Amino acid sequence: MTMPSLNLDFNYIILSGGVGGAKLAYGFLSCHEPSRLMVVGNVGDDFKYWGLNISPDLDTLLYTLAGVSDQKRGWGRSSETWSVLEEMRNLGGDSWFQLGDRDLAVHIERTERLSQGQRLSTITQDLAKKFGIECALLPITDRIVRTVLDTDVGSLEFQEYFVRHKCAPQVTKLHYTGCNRAVIQPEIYACLRSSALRAIIISPSNPFLSIDPMLSVSSFKQEIARCRKPVVAVSPLVGARAFKGPTAKIMRELGYEVSAFAVASHYTSNLIDGFVLDTEDSELVPQIQQLGIQTYVTDISMNTSEDKTRLAGEVLDFARTLEC
Ligand code: FO1
């Protein structure tokens, strides 16, 4: 099965997990030609539920980039209804993961096409087109990579930990199963080798749960290093607080200091050239620069569309200063 033809003159690759990353990706749409942006989503959160293939981060990106996401929850569709979920509860079926009626159509379509042997990337790209999205939206890989957390209540797949157990278990270790067998999409590989590429942006998603599952896909980090284009990461923390989700809790449990500095040193100067951090963390600048990483300080909160566009614009301006 072939991909719908993709223009390969992309200027920016944006690596993103769910909610936080999707907000910044949305901001980029207003400050750079969308057809020159390639948004790459995490698949480590994917799982089977009600017999369906669910790709939560790809769907959060799909709905956010299309402007149809539920702004309050951060995931799922706006104006959603829940009839199927209610019926499932009445039947005594699983209801710990909430699938809305509109959202269900996407999972059914994806599952049907995967069962016909189509690539996840082809399906995702087609869905993006149907939703009127003008940038490319791709999963990091078509292969199965799953984030598994070792915890005090045993090994849990990501959604079991995140939604079913509400992030309560204590995390001791993370695994990205399948990452050694997985390969990045040929389109991403081609983009990394294209002279049109100007920078790679790591969005303010959870480094351990959303970004590392992508970076762990075999040879991806080496390909990034090989392309010699600036790599800029945006901090997912302000002070010791994450905008959403368990970033701070997991860092603490894995023995990291909870700070933007710890995130920058986790990525290391081998991977990133620049790091964007919040004004509240400006005292960390000398420490981060000592790692060999350039810094840019700004307000990184993204509460409004204007915030998203402003931050995205500043990230691109910063990345341009790092171009050789
Ligand atoms: N997150 C929740 O906290 N509870 C849910 O019931 C839930 C359902 C859900 C359905 C579709 C979808 O695309 C995302 C959904 N999410 C839900 C969000 C998802 O678990 C997380 O945002 C990401 O996996 C973390 O990046």
Side-chain angles (χ1 to χ4, degrees):
M1 204 58 64
T2 53
M3 276 290 278
S5 60
L6 264 188
N7 144 39
L8 284 176
D9 290 335
F10 293 101
N11 302 136
Y12 297 98
I13 294 178
I14 299 147
L15 300 181
S16 175
V19 184
K23 284 184 181 178
L24 185 61
Y26 179 82
F28 286 122
L29 295 179
S30 326
C31 51
H32 197 75
E33 168 56 42
S35 64
R36 303 275 178 216
L37 300 172
M38 176 183 274
V39 178
V40 175
N42 170 42
V43 294
D45 301 9
D46 292 14
F47 75 130
K48 275 261 188 192
Y49 183 76
W50 295 351
L52 300 171
N53 293 83
I54 318 289
S55 296
D57 281 356
L58 293 179
D59 292 343
T60 299
L61 282 164
L62 183 72
Y63 299 148
T64 305
L65 293 171
V68 299
S69 68
D70 183 290
Q71 303 273 328
K72 202 156 164 239
R73 283 195 310 270
W75 52 266
R77 294 285 307 262
S78 55
S79 312
E80 187 56 285
T81 57
W82 305 93
S83 305
V84 176
L85 182 68
E86 275 165 33
E87 283 305 308
M88 197 57 91
R89 275 200 194 108
N90 294 339
L91 294 174
D94 268 338
S95 57
W96 58 270
F97 195 80
Q98 300 178 54
L99 295 183
D101 302 331
R102 284 166 176 263
D103 187 26
L104 259 174
V106 164
H107 309 305
I108 293 169
E109 172 74 356
R110 176 190 296 118
T111 306
E112 171 63 13
R113 291 179 61 176
L114 283 171
S115 75
Q116 292 165 2
Q118 297 188 33
R119 295 170 59 194
L120 180 61
S121 43
T122 309
I123 302 165
T124 307
Q125 195 58 27
D126 282 350
L127 286 168
K129 287 224 167 72
K130 292 262 161 58
F131 275 82
I133 295 170
E134 291 175 67
C135 65
L137 173 60
L138 292 172
I140 181 76
T141 180
D142 284 330
R143 306 279 177 89
I144 294 174
V145 175
R146 294 288 174 267
T147 301
V148 176
L149 302 96
D150 289 348
T151 75
D152 55 349
V153 298
S155 272
L156 299 172
E157 276 213 352
F158 179 83
Q159 297 299 341
E160 291 241 309
Y161 165 79
F162 192 81
V163 177
R164 195 172 206 167
H165 291 268
K166 301 184 169 51
C167 308
Q170 179 150 358
V171 179
T172 50
K173 201 164 182 223
L174 295 170
H175 309 265
Y176 311 112
T177 63
C179 64
N180 295 331
R181 282 190 311 276
V183 284
I184 55 169
Q185 304 297 359
E187 296 78 9
I188 302 172
Y189 183 82
C191 185
L192 285 167
R193 294 191 171 214
S194 152
S195 58
L197 184 68
R198 297 179 63 178
I200 297 153
I201 312 294
I202 300 180
S203 64
S205 297
N206 185 313
F208 306 94
L209 297 180
S210 302
I211 303 298
D212 282 359
M214 290 192 268
L215 294 174
S216 69
V217 169
S218 55
S219 75
F220 186 33
K221 273 188 178 170
Q222 290 91 309
E223 283 300 322
I224 292 176
R226 192 179 180 283
C227 84
R228 304 176 71 84
K229 297 289 161 61
V231 180
V232 173
V234 181
S235 176
L237 296 173
V238 174
R241 306 180 306 281
F243 290 114
K244 202 168 191 296
T247 309
K249 178 177 180 285
I250 285 187
M251 288 182 78
R252 214 170 286 120
E253 290 171 356
L254 293 177
Y256 290 87
E257 164 195 299
V258 184
S259 72
F261 170 72
V263 174
S265 27
H266 173 72
Y267 285 137
T268 80
S269 60
N270 289 335
L271 176 70
I272 62 170
D273 304 286
F275 190 72
V276 178
L277 66 163
D278 195 76
T279 35
E280 191 179 315
D281 293 319
S282 56
E283 80 281 2
L284 299 173
V285 162
Q287 268 176 282
I288 297 173
Q289 289 188 347
Q290 270 189 1
L291 297 170
I293 298 168
Q294 299 300 307
T295 51
Y296 180 79
V297 178
T298 189
D299 175 2
I300 63 168
S301 57
M302 290 182 283
N303 299 316
T304 64
S305 295
E306 291 72 35
D307 292 341
K308 293 167 201 166
T309 306
R310 178 199 44 82
L311 180 59
E314 289 183 49
V315 169
L316 293 191
D317 287 344
F318 176 47
R320 279 178 203 119
T321 67
L322 302 172
E323 286 176 27
C324 318

